Amino acid sequence: MDEQQRLAYWRANTALIRNLLIVWALVSLVFSILLVETLNKIQFFGVPFGFWMAQQGSILVFVVLIFIYAFQMDKLDQKYNNKK
């Protein structure tokens, strides 16, 4: 892999990480802390949605983000033929 491909690979990698961290921040900070009072007005499976997001929803989102990262990195490695 030449230097230009290596830079493109790392730009794509850091962009993926940045985007997933933005989702992580939205879920953990905005939905689970800042908007909890507003979201608590919505009932979800019999409990306030803000509470559910803080307790269960954020964990589920984090697990999904791990799988998305792994899947996207596999695609990125194949695209740039980055075999280790």
Side-chain angles (χ1 to χ4, degrees):
M1 184 182 327
D2 66 358
E3 188 64 27
Q4 189 174 11
Q5 280 185 319
R6 192 180 335 272
L7 287 174
Y9 173 80
W10 282 108
R11 272 192 225 107
N13 186 5
T14 55
L16 174 62
I17 292 170
R18 180 197 63 229
N19 293 338
L20 294 176
L21 283 174
I22 288 170
V23 172
W24 171 79
L26 282 173
V27 169
S28 64
L29 297 174
V30 177
F31 293 144
S32 298
I33 297 173
L34 299 176
L35 295 178
V36 72
E37 295 296 325
T38 305
L39 293 175
N40 276 341
K41 295 175 185 171
I42 303 168
Q43 291 293 312
F44 187 73
F45 291 116
V47 296
F49 186 63
F51 174 77
W52 186 86
M53 276 302 294
Q55 299 301 313
Q56 300 296 323
S58 58
I59 294 170
L60 293 176
V61 170
F62 299 153
V63 170
V64 169
L65 288 177
I66 292 168
F67 284 106
I68 289 172
Y69 178 74
F71 179 74
Q72 292 296 331
M73 282 305 297
D74 281 344
K75 285 176 45 177
L76 196 62
D77 286 341
Q78 288 175 0
K79 179 181 178 181
Y80 289 98
N81 198 20
N82 192 15
K83 297 178 183 176
K84 300 241 174 190

